Amino acid sequence: MSDGKRQQSVVVKLGPGFGRLSLQTEPTGAMLTVDGKKRGQSPSKMQLDAGTYEVAARLKGYLPRFAKAIVSPAAVEIVDLKLQKKIVRPALSAITVQTVPPGAVVTVKETGARFNDGQTLSLKAGQYTLLADKKGYRQGRDRKSVV
């Protein structure tokens, strides 16, 4: 410059950019994690540094859901997770009933299932009354726990 002043150029570096992440689930009330850290229950809004995050939603009775969220500076990333109910199938146990004398037909009183002596039947855990019938004999009866 001609007036004798020196001009300097100064660079000021900004910190990392940040944005907002809005996490919603259906149903609401799921426990939320972002990169493995607990972040409360859904729905939830939070401010995060710009970047890519792994989000998860967990709710009792539902399968966990996972998603990737890309948070951009000065923007809102919305992640909406629909949770699916767990299908719980009861464990079955196999039972084989032998009758004395052999050859009786066995009925499970609680289910009405009928099977032949020596045959295998699958039942849920519980208490069952087994009835055994054979021509010429009085009915046999036994109460058993299936585990």
Side-chain angles (χ1 to χ4, degrees), residues 97-99 104-108 113-118 130-133:
V97 177
Q98 301 292 322
T99 62
V105 174
V106 179
T107 303
V108 180
R114 293 173 55 92
F115 59 106
N116 294 320
D117 171 42
L130 304 173
L131 306 172
D133 292 293

Side-chain angles (χ1 to χ4, degrees), residues 116-135:
N116 294 320
D117 171 42
Q119 221 176 351
T120 300
L121 181 68
S122 294
L123 293 171
K124 293 186 279 185
Q127 291 278 327
Y128 296 95
T129 302
L130 304 173
L131 306 172
D133 292 293
K134 184 173 182 176
K135 189 174 182 177

